[in-house]
Amino acid sequence: MSLYPVAEYFVSINGEGARAGNLAAFIRLRTCNLHCSYCDTRWANSEDALCRYMSTEDLLAWLEETKVRLVTLTGGEPLLNPETADLIDRLGEAGYEVEVETNGSIDIGPFAALPHRPSFTLDYKCPGSGMEEFMLTENYRFLISSDTVKFVVSSVEDLEKAAEICRTFSLTDRCHVFLSPVFGRIEPREIVEYMAARSWNGIRLQLQLHKYIWPPDQRGV
């Protein structure tokens, strides 16, 4: 029986991505292979972070109690655990809509080929993250219209990189594309001005809703 290291699980709204504002049941798995400069979940990223080991049956029982049908798997980096594929399929079999938030460095191919394919919110780590070298752009060939690529930006340099990647891989023809400001590092107005000056179509600015509804560092929301 697979046991998953669950750092936290809770019901809230999706704060970002194509399903922003929708009620979702979040399952956050611990451990991440990246160390982004602006990371707001460092407490869940180490291999020894506090967690509760839960089976698929445990998680299904909790989801049944919540009566929420959208499940967001996040981290950490949820795709580091190969057994996450089984969890995704089991959730799909049970009738849940599954979204995976992944950091852009893990091959999503095996997960995109699952019988119950999830939707992906796939990060591209811009230069300001300090992790751009780990981005796996080969993932873009698996993207479909229900997926999302998210650029978390902290500077004009990051915006320039986002524009370059969008052009190179024709991302707006493949999936949703969002720009999300690093909270406290760049003003959303600057992003809007950049978009307007370049007539940048097919891209959406998105603020992290949960950081405006609750304190920016609050967990479980």
Side-chain angles (χ1 to χ4, degrees):
M1 178 176 65
S2 298
L3 291 175
Y4 299 93
V6 178
E8 63 175 352
Y9 55 107
F10 57 93
V11 172
S12 184
I13 60 159
N14 254 339
E16 52 195 333
R19 292 166 180 76
N22 284 292
L23 196 64
F26 287 81
I27 299 171
R28 185 184 305 282
L29 302 182
R30 79 171 179 192
T31 308
C32 188
N33 58 319
L34 301 184
H35 306 282
C36 297
S37 64
Y38 48 72
C39 181
D40 54 7
T41 57
R42 283 193 177 91
W43 59 271
N45 288 354
S46 68
E47 292 185 0
D48 60 354
L50 290 176
C51 71
R52 176 178 177 182
Y53 286 97
M54 301 178 72
S55 66
T56 302
E57 288 68 27
D58 293 332
L59 292 167
L60 285 169
W62 170 66
L63 289 168
E64 183 61 29
E65 290 177 4
T66 71
K67 298 186 171 23
V68 175
R69 306 310 297 175
L70 172 61
V71 180
T72 299
L73 299 180
T74 187
E77 172 46 62
L79 300 187
L80 280 176
N81 187 338
E83 293 180 341
T84 298
D86 180 64
L87 177 59
I88 291 169
D89 253 355
R90 291 284 302 278
L91 292 172
E93 288 171 4
Y96 291 98
E97 179 185 0
V98 181
E99 174 190 25
V100 174
E101 295 183 342
T102 179
N103 65 23
S105 71
I106 305 295
D107 180 7
I108 67 170
F111 303 93
L114 291 171
H116 296 278
R117 185 193 189 279
S119 61
F120 296 95
T121 295
L122 185 70
D123 281 2
Y124 184 90
K125 304 299 186 185
C126 293
S129 71
M131 294 287 116
E132 187 182 13
E133 65 182 294
F134 299 105
M135 292 297 93
L136 193 66
T137 56
E138 290 85 353
N139 275 329
Y140 298 154
R141 70 184 189 274
F142 300 113
L143 296 175
I144 60 176
S145 60
S146 59
D147 296 324
T148 297
V149 173
K150 182 182 68 178
F151 296 91
V152 179
V153 297
S154 59
S155 64
V156 171
E157 180 188 11
D158 284 354
L159 286 166
E160 296 283 4
K161 175 58 68 166
E164 175 190 330
I165 294 297
C166 284
R167 285 193 305 270
T168 301
F169 297 98
S170 302
L171 290 183
T172 56
D173 296 329
R174 294 174 176 269
C175 62
H176 303 284
V177 180
F178 290 95
L179 300 173
S180 182
V182 176
F183 195 84
R185 283 201 194 178
I186 188 172
E187 290 298 321
R189 169 182 49 79
E190 296 178 64
I191 300 175
V192 175
E193 291 170 351
Y194 182 95
M195 294 168 67
R198 291 156 181 80
S199 302
W200 198 2
N201 296 303
I203 310 292
R204 280 182 276 178
L205 168 67
Q206 186 170 75
L207 307 181
Q208 293 178 295
L209 292 177
H210 51 289
K211 292 189 176 180
Y212 290 87
I213 299 172
W214 296 281
D217 57 354
Q218 184 166 327
R219 300 182 189 177
V221 294

